[in-house]
Amino acid sequence: MTESHYDLVIVGAGPAGMAAAIDSARAGLRVALLDEQQTAGGQIYRRVGSPALRDRKILGPDYYYGEKLVDSFQRCSIDHIRGASVWEAEADQLCFSVDGGSHRLTFDALLLATGAQERPVPFPGWTAPGVMTCGSAQIMFKTSGLAPAVPVVIAGSGPLLLLVACQLVRAGVPVEAVLDTTPGSHYREALAELGGALRGWRYLLKGVRLLAELRQAGVPLIKNVRQLQALTGSDGQLERVEYSHRGRRYSRVCKTLLVHQGVVPNVQLSRSMGLEHFWSEQQQCWLPRCDLWGESSMAGIYIAGDGGGIGGALAAELQGRLSACAIIHRLGRINQGERDEQARGLRRQLDQQLAIRPFLDRLYRPAAEFLHPADETLVCRCEEVSAGEIRRIAGQGCAGPNQAKAFSRAGMGPCQGRLCGLTVSQLIAEVHQLPIEEVGYYRVRAPIKPVTLGELATMAPQSSHHGAGEVAEK
Amino acid sequence: MASDSAFKRLPANPADAVEIWVEGQAVTARAGDSVAAAVLAAGLGPTRTTPVSGSPRAPYCMMGVCFECLMEIDGQPNTQGCMILVTDGMKVSFQRGARDIPECSA
C-alpha cells in the first residue's frame, strides 16, 4: 500500500464508525475506515453479518438490529481496511499495521470511534485462569458459538451483568449465581435521577424483564455482595469464588467466573494524540473534551460513540451521524443551515437515548472496593504490581501515574496501562487526598499497539527519504 | 494437558473446520475462531506465564485490551491470540515468561 490521502479517516467499525462512514460516503467524501477486526460491527454487533450461534433467541433482537447497519455499511463506497491496528495518529496522518506491514494515511478529518472497554475489576484472584469478563463471554457467543466452562458464576454490577446471565440461561448454560456487587445505598441515590430514568423507560423495562427472566430460570441473584475473591486449585486454575453477604462468608465452586463493572471509554488513541481529557465524576472515568459535534480539542479530529463517553450502541450510531454532519460541512459539501437541519432530528433522538444515563451511572457506579482495592490485590496485571505497592510508593512521594511507572513498573507492560490506569490514578489520589483530576493519567505514547521492528521497517523507505530531505534542507 | 474445563460448542451456523497445532497437539477449530477461542474450546491452557512471577494466565477480555492471551503464533511471539483468526496448519505455542529475543544473524 502506498501513501494515500482521504477526506475522512475513521478508526473503528462499531455503530458510531459505520454510521459516520455511511453518511459521509453518501455525501461524496472519500472515506477510509480502519478496524482491527476482519468483519464490521465493533464489539456490540461483532460478526453479526455471519453470526456463529444458530439460535437467534440467545443474543436477542438488540444484537441482530446491527445486521441492517452492517449491511448498509458494506454497500457504501468506502475503503474498509480490515485487520488494521492503528498504532499512531497525529493531526493530519496516522500509521497502522496490517498483515505484518505498516502504512501511513493522511486525511483532512479524522473520526475516532474506538468504543469502550470493560472497566478494570481488580479484586483478589482476578488474574486466575478461569476469571474472564462478561464481555468476553458475549464475544465468544458471537464469534464462535462457545459457552464458558461450567459451573459459571457471574459477579459485578451493571446492565451487562444481567444481560449476559440471561444469554447464558437461554443458551442452556446453567448459571450457579449472579453476585451483584452494587452497594444498597446506590439504589437510594439513583432515585434522585428517576426523572431521566422514566424518560428512558424502554431501558428500565428491559432491565425489569431481564430480572424476571433470571428469576424464572431459578438463577440465584445475590445482592449486596462484598469482598469478592477468586481462589485457585493446585493446577493454578480457578476453583471457587468466595464472597461476603450480610456479614457472612460464602464459597461457591466454579470453573468460570465472569466479572463486570460497567464499561469505560477506550481513550488510548485520543490520549496518545495529546487531546484534552477531563475526569467525569458521573461516569467515574476520563473523557475526551469534545463539543456538541464530537470535535475534540484538536481541530478536525472528532470522537463519536462510547470512546467519547458511555451512551450505548444506539447513542453511538446517532453520535457518529452527528459528527459526519459536522465533517461534511467542514469539508464544504453542505452549508451550515443544511448541517443544522440534519442535526436537529439526530439530537432529539440522542437526548432520548441518553436520558437514562445519569440514573444508570449513579446506580451502577462501582463499589469502593473495586475503585480502591485492598493492598494485596494486583492492580497492574502485566507487571504484577499490587495496590499496596502503589500506596507505598505514593506515600514515599510518588506524585502521579507517570512517576509510578518509574517507581514500580505499573503500566509498563504490554497492555500499556489499559487495565491499571484508572486504578493507579485513583490509588495515588486516595493517598495524597487529591482530586483525581490533579493526579492525572498515564502519558500514553505511540505505538499504542505492539508493532515489531520488522513491521516498522516496512515503512523505512518513506521515512529515510523524508529524513534525507530534512538533512538536505539544512 | 486437555482438561474438563473446556468451553462448550453450542449449535452453530455452518463454517469450515480448520486444523491448527497447539503446543504440538492437533486441534480442530471453526473458521472464524480466534486462536484464543480455539484454545479455550480445546480445553488447553493456561496460555502464558508472567515474566515477573511465572504465574499462569489465560485469555481474559477476548477483545485486544488485556494482553493476557499473548502466545507464539506461527513463530511470532507476543501475539494477541484473541486478535488472530485460525488458519489451517497454524502453529501455536504458549508463551512462558518474557519473549526470547532471537540473536541477530548479522
Side-chain angles (χ1 to χ4, degrees), chain A residues 396-419:
Chain A
Q396 286 178 348
C398 173
N402 291 304
Q403 275 191 352
K405 287 186 185 178
F407 275 84
S408 71
R409 287 196 60 82
M412 294 282 277
C415 99
Q416 296 165 296
R418 287 169 172 88
L419 285 231

Side-chain angles (χ1 to χ4, degrees), chain A residues 84-397:
Chain A
S85 287
V86 175
W87 47 264
E88 179 169 37
E90 292 169 35
D92 57 357
Q93 63 168 5
L94 58 73
C95 298
F96 66 98
S97 169
V98 65
D99 287 336
S102 280
H103 311 275
R104 179 186 285 120
L105 293 180
T106 58
F107 47 75
D108 291 328
L110 175 68
L111 177 70
L112 305 180
T114 51
Q117 66 167 71
E118 281 178 86
R119 181 190 294 278
V121 187
F123 65 91
W126 72 308
T127 55
V131 180
M132 299 183 80
T133 66
C134 279
S136 79
Q138 280 201 319
I139 288 167
M140 284 183 284
F141 269 151
K142 293 170 186 174
T143 60
S144 297
L146 274 182
V150 292
V152 181
V153 173
I154 299 179
S157 183
L160 188 66
L161 197 77
L162 302 178
L163 179 61
V164 167
C166 285
Q167 289 171 337
L168 288 170
V169 167
R170 291 173 204 159
V173 180
V175 175
E176 297 300 311
V178 175
L179 309 177
D180 190 337
T181 62
T182 311
S185 60
H186 287 197
Y187 289 89
R188 289 190 296 279
E189 289 163 19
L191 284 180
E193 307 291 351
L194 199 60
L198 293 175
R199 279 179 62 219
W201 60 271
R202 283 190 183 82
Y203 286 99
L204 276 189
L205 187 63
K206 194 175 163 186
V208 170
R209 283 192 177 141
L210 292 176
L211 285 168
E213 196 177 335
L214 284 182
R215 204 173 304 124
Q216 202 163 9
V219 175
L221 173 62
I222 301 156
K223 288 188 173 185
N224 263 311
V225 163
R226 301 180 61 227
Q227 294 168 310
L228 190 68
Q229 183 168 12
L231 294 128
T232 54
S234 54
D235 58 356
Q237 290 275 341
L238 176 70
E239 196 174 71
R240 62 202 162 91
V241 56
E242 286 190 3
Y243 58 94
S244 299
H245 183 243
R246 291 185 185 155
R248 274 190 61 189
R249 196 87 183 136
Y250 294 85
S251 175
R252 278 178 185 270
V253 172
C254 67
K255 286 238 165 83
T256 308
L257 175 63
L258 297 175
V259 292
H260 180 74
Q261 290 288 339
V263 297
V264 295
N266 169 8
V267 291
Q268 211 72 2
L269 195 54
S270 57
R271 280 268 175 198
S272 75
M273 293 182 74
L275 306 181
E276 278 176 37
H277 289 68
F278 68 98
W279 177 256
S280 163
E281 201 54 42
Q282 182 185 325
Q283 299 206 328
Q284 288 289 299
C285 58
W286 301 95
L287 305 182
R289 199 177 291 286
C290 293
D291 69 9
L292 284 171
W293 303 96
E295 189 169 16
S296 72
S297 59
M298 197 182 278
I301 312 296
Y302 294 78
I303 300 172
D306 280 354
I310 303 306
L314 297 176
E317 191 180 333
L318 293 162
Q319 286 163 338
R321 299 189 62 195
L322 272 171
S323 289
C325 281
I327 292 164
I328 295 162
H329 164 62
R330 179 188 192 84
L331 301 183
R333 304 299 209 282
I334 53 172
N335 64 36
Q336 194 170 322
E338 289 166 323
R339 177 196 71 177
D340 294 347
E341 174 58 31
Q342 285 174 23
R344 203 164 298 133
L346 295 173
R347 286 202 199 286
R348 203 169 40 239
Q349 294 176 63
L350 183 60
D351 285 348
Q352 176 71 35
Q353 283 301 326
L354 295 179
I356 188 97
R357 289 317 314 185
F359 175 79
L360 292 179
D361 292 338
R362 171 57 65 184
L363 178 60
Y364 292 127
R365 180 180 172 146
E369 65 180 282
F370 295 103
L371 298 176
H372 300 274
D375 278 350
E376 67 273 21
T377 307
L378 283 188
V379 296
C380 172
R381 295 174 67 108
C382 300
E383 297 289 342
E384 298 178 73
V385 183
S386 68
E389 176 69 359
I390 300 295
R391 288 193 177 97
R392 190 182 67 78
I393 62 170
Q396 286 178 348

